[in-house]
Amino acid sequence: MSGYVVRRLLLYVPTLIGVSIIIFVIMRVIPGDPAVMVLSGPGGEAVYTQEDLVRMHRILGLDRPLVVQYADWMWGFVRGDWGISLRYNADVFEEVRRRLPVTAELAMLGMFIAVAIGLPVGLISAMRQETWADYVGRVFTIVGLAMPTFWLGMLVVVALSTWFNWLPPLGYAKLHNEPWGNLQQMSFPALVLGYHMAAYIARMVRAQMLEVLRQDYIRTAHAKGLRERVVVVRHALKNALLPVITLAGVLVGGLLSGAVVIELIFSLPGIGRLLLDGLRTRDFPVVQALVLVFATIFLMVNLLVDLLYGWLDPRIHY
Amino acid sequence: METGRAGPRQVGLITWGLGLRLGTWARELWRFTRRKPLGGVSLVFLVAMVLVAIFSPWITPHSPYENIRGAARVAPGATYWFGTDHLGRDLFSRVLIAGRISLFIGLVVMLLGTTVGSAVGVFSAYIGGKTDLIIQRIVDGLLAFPAIILALALMATLGQSLLNVILALVVVNTPRTIRTVRSAALSIKENVYVDAARSIGASNLRVMFLHVTPNCFAPIIIMATVTLGWAILAEASLSFLGLGVPADVPTWGGMLGTMAQRFMRSAPWTVVFPGLTLTLVVMAINLLGDAMRDMLDPRLRGAR
């Protein structure tokens, strides 16, 4: 087991390097020239002279060999020097540090809601298969999987503003300054973000529970006279939840991309919003750093899930 | 029998054969609908949506592009079924036209992604060794990103166009197909019939395409339906965020973009109808996919 952990941790580093190379290639090689990207308008129209281009090359350090540029970027990234935003003239690292708590809180609340709703819905659906409770649960799941997060978010904003005269506030209430205001502001975005993932969880829990409930050891548990609750919780659920944990990777991917649209709709100042603004204005230091941050978080969670899975399932030996 | 031009007898035979083929198809379809009613209904709905999308330029009640004078943000009613948007364009017509682009992108991404993904997946598994290792490390790298985030970054650098949306979605989604098909092909290639084919001198290409690929059919079909639903949602997200197809091309996601957000409180119908259509289409694809998965994968039969 410990050997496996060490091997996985060692593999994590080359994967991250591979990821950073992919980002670098996308940002530097495909568009041909980031300087052109910076100088031209959003539609790609060119309004600059040759001297502008040469000057921009020097400012951005693009006149150096690609390998040097990559090494410079990576060395800077490791030290927390992520460059200066081209549009806001602000330090990218500082900006991310300031905004990260918003996104982290949104993601954690969303995850909490997803589990708190998805788990019972899936469980009840499986326990009461082919009853009205199951049908309600399945409709909840089917709708949740098909509904785009951004559309649900817009519907919620429209509904709240029409019936309760509520609008997404312009300012942001910080958690440690105004905990109550912050929770009010975060609850609806988190609910919207959580619903889609709750549907995933409910679907998986239901399928796994149905599978497990048909196993021989469940019949044995019933036969030796255990109470229903003990059979379900201790025998069935424990085994059914194992494969559900592998969903966490998918869910975190959804969480991170969901944060981008949710922060836009509910005007929350998180890193998803920062990434989107960076993408729209072609602010490549911001985009480059943030895509790497998103990928790092995503990889880290997947690594944790793999380790957790190995630790929880005694049948797996590495 | 003499060779050469087909006589009336041959033509008759071919027609009869074709009719039999269609009959079998219809019977298969009927059997599928009876066993999986939700899947059947979804299939009919999707076929109807595709037909509407194809013929939309001829069946829209109003022009989807014309700004009707003095009719900005009219609520849904007898004249404008879904109402009009902030520029006085008929929303019903726009939803129909938008279906063309959204479904087209979804279908192309599905076809391209599934074809390329299956070919690479089977190739990688069958050849094995260093080639497999290198391909799988590239796949690892691409799978290390949240898919939409990578697609957004690609769109920002490539620029907004229909072709680039398709390209970005294929790049971020195909690794998943490669991974799935590869693992299926790995077990298929251990079968005796693969050895048998090789021992009578079949070439590698022949074994890959005529023996391994057809036996990976179930996972390939399942990945295809998953890809279709995903691609339509992903395109909608990109266009919604203003990084999909150019803003003047109507798509379901694009119709919910910046302008709809600005006017969504005074004209909620501009938000409701494009999103509802999108949701229903994705729901139908998911239900159809589930039904097909149940039929194709005996291991999962009755599990959901």
Side-chain angles (χ1 to χ4, degrees):
Chain A
M1 184 71 205
S2 62
Y4 173 73
V5 173
V6 171
R7 236 175 326 131
R8 281 305 308 259
L9 285 175
L10 286 179
L11 249 177
Y12 184 66
V13 177
T15 315
L16 261 187
I17 293 175
V19 162
S20 67
I21 291 175
I22 293 176
I23 297 172
F24 189 76
V25 166
I26 291 174
M27 299 308 294
R28 299 296 165 89
V29 181
I30 292 174
D33 196 341
V36 173
M37 200 163 100
V38 174
L39 288 168
S40 49
E45 65 274 9
V47 277
Y48 54 88
T49 62
Q50 196 58 37
E51 290 120 66
D52 285 339
L53 196 62
V54 172
R55 199 155 36 90
M56 190 51 85
H57 270 165
R58 200 148 352 113
I59 294 170
L60 299 175
L62 296 171
D63 47 354
R64 301 168 302 163
L66 275 178
V67 182
V68 176
Q69 287 182 43
Y70 173 76
D72 188 49
W73 173 50
M74 275 327 282
W75 180 230
F77 192 85
V78 174
R79 284 178 307 153
D81 170 16
W82 294 2
I84 305 291
S85 159
L86 299 173
R87 303 279 156 167
Y88 304 118
N89 215 18
D91 185 61
V92 178
F93 183 77
E94 270 308 306
E95 198 64 22
V96 171
R97 208 178 52 90
R98 212 163 52 79
R99 287 162 173 257
L100 194 60
V102 181
T103 307
E105 190 193 343
L106 179 65
M108 277 181 224
L109 275 176
M111 200 67 175
F112 174 75
I113 287 167
V115 175
I117 297 175
L119 194 64
V121 168
L123 194 62
I124 292 167
S125 224
M127 300 296 303
R128 306 267 177 271
Q129 199 188 357
E130 308 299 331
T131 64
W132 66 266
D134 185 23
Y135 296 138
V136 170
R138 273 153 89 181
V139 168
F140 170 88
T141 310
I142 291 166
V143 171
L145 289 175
M147 210 182 214
T149 308
F150 60 84
W151 186 53
L152 180 62
M154 291 170 90
L155 289 184
V156 166
V157 171
V158 168
L160 288 176
S161 64
T162 312
W163 291 315
F164 300 103
N165 228 352
W166 180 90
L167 293 176
L170 294 173
Y172 173 70
K174 282 187 177 160
L175 182 61
H176 52 87
N177 290 348
E178 316 161 47
W180 178 236
N182 173 277
L183 220 59
Q184 274 182 316
Q185 201 169 1
M186 289 302 241
S187 52
F188 282 109
L191 263 175
V192 172
L193 191 55
Y195 176 40
H196 186 63
M197 291 180 293
Y200 265 106
I201 294 177
R203 176 192 164 107
M204 190 81 167
V205 167
R206 179 176 181 275
Q208 290 302 325
M209 276 303 282
L210 288 178
E211 186 90 30
V212 169
L213 285 175
R214 269 185 252 152
Q215 301 288 326
D216 288 341
Y217 60 81
I218 298 297
R219 195 174 339 123
T220 311
H222 276 301
K224 69 180 184 187
L226 289 181
R227 272 174 301 130
E228 176 79 8
R229 181 195 298 252
V230 178
V231 176
V232 169
V233 176
R234 293 257 287 275
H235 292 69
L237 191 60
K238 227 168 141 187
N239 284 295
L241 281 187
L242 260 179
V244 178
I245 292 171
T246 54
L247 261 188
V250 181
L251 295 184
V252 169
L255 218 61
L256 294 175
S257 26
V260 177
V261 292
I262 294 289
E263 284 169 16
L264 173 70
I265 293 167
F266 289 92
S267 31
L268 295 171
I271 57 169
R273 191 65 203 277
L274 185 64
L275 173 66
L276 186 62
D277 287 344
L279 287 165
R280 281 175 168 176
T281 55
R282 305 176 156 232
D283 191 346
F284 87 91
V286 170
V287 173
Q288 201 167 261
L290 273 177
V291 176
L292 188 53
V293 168
F294 274 95
T296 310
I297 297 172
F298 186 59
L299 273 177
M300 204 140 40
V301 173
N302 276 312
L303 175 72
L304 284 177
V305 168
D306 278 4
L307 295 180
L308 192 68
Y309 199 80
W311 181 60
L312 285 176
D313 191 342
R315 284 169 306 184
I316 297 177
H317 296 289
Y318 296 104
Chain B
M1 196 191 282
E2 63 196 333
T3 51
R5 309 244 316 265
R9 195 180 137 75
Q10 278 91 332
V11 172
L13 265 175
I14 291 167
T15 321
W16 180 74
L18 218 65
L20 193 74
R21 220 34 208 283
L22 280 174
T24 322
W25 269 90
R27 223 168 317 136
E28 279 293 311
L29 199 65
W30 176 237
R31 213 164 58 92
F32 177 73
T33 312
R34 254 208 333 224
R35 277 177 56 189
K36 297 275 164 199
L38 266 179
V41 171
S42 305
L43 185 64
V44 171
F45 175 72
L46 286 175
V47 170
M49 281 309 285
V50 169
L51 288 179
V52 165
I54 292 171
F55 295 109
S56 55
W58 297 280
I59 57 176
T60 51
H62 301 271
S63 158
Y65 304 107
E66 189 199 346
N67 310 335
I68 302 157
R69 223 167 234 283
R73 287 183 275 155
V74 173
T79 324
Y80 308 112
W81 296 350
F82 288 179
T84 62
D85 68 3
H86 62 284
L87 293 174
R89 295 174 298 195
D90 178 41
L91 269 178
F92 182 68
S93 306
R94 278 182 83 73
V95 167
L96 294 192
I97 282 281
R100 281 193 125 190
I101 306 293
S102 299
L103 289 173
F104 175 75
I105 291 177
L107 288 169
V108 172
V109 170
M110 175 184 85
L111 286 177
L112 252 172
T114 310
T115 316
V116 174
S118 313
V120 175
V122 168
F123 177 79
S124 185
Y126 186 79
I127 298 292
K130 277 216 180 77
T131 319
D132 184 39
L133 193 75
I134 292 168
I135 293 175
Q136 291 315 310
R137 288 299 78 74
I138 296 172
V139 167
D140 275 344
L142 289 173
L143 286 177
F145 294 92
I148 296 289
I149 306 276
L150 184 58
L152 282 171
L154 281 170
M155 284 309 296
T157 52
L158 291 173
Q160 287 170 245
S161 77
L162 186 67
L163 183 70
N164 289 345
V165 171
I166 292 171
L167 212 67
L169 294 185
V170 167
V171 167
V172 302
N173 185 65
T174 308
R176 282 191 260 178
T177 311
I178 296 178
R179 194 40 65 81
T180 313
V181 174
R182 174 181 173 268
S183 64
L186 274 179
S187 65
I188 295 293
K189 80 164 190 177
E190 299 303 327
N191 280 317
V192 185
Y193 57 78
V194 172
D195 287 340
R198 245 190 317 217
S199 66
I200 59 168
S203 68
N204 279 343
L205 269 181
R206 192 183 165 85
V207 176
M208 271 192 265
F209 284 107
L210 293 181
H211 298 277
V212 180
T213 310
N215 285 297
C216 298
F217 198 59
I220 290 175
I221 291 291
I222 289 167
M223 280 315 284
T225 58
V226 171
T227 304
L228 181 59
W230 177 85
I232 289 176
L233 270 185
E235 182 276 321
S237 303
L238 295 186
S239 297
F240 166 77
L241 293 172
L243 286 158
V245 293
D248 52 343
V249 180
T251 70
W252 292 324
M255 291 173 73
L256 297 170
T258 324
M259 278 306 155
Q261 280 165 62
R262 186 169 301 163
F263 294 108
M264 64 186 172
R265 285 173 209 99
S266 56
W269 54 89
T270 55
V271 172
V272 170
F273 291 107
L276 188 65
T277 316
L278 176 63
T279 306
L280 287 177
V281 167
V282 175
M283 199 185 286
I285 293 169
N286 289 348
L287 288 172
L288 179 63
D290 287 349
M292 281 166 61
R293 177 190 305 240
D294 285 356
M295 303 276 275
L296 287 170
D297 194 342
R299 212 164 39 83
L300 293 169
R301 192 159 289 164
R304 43 162 289 110

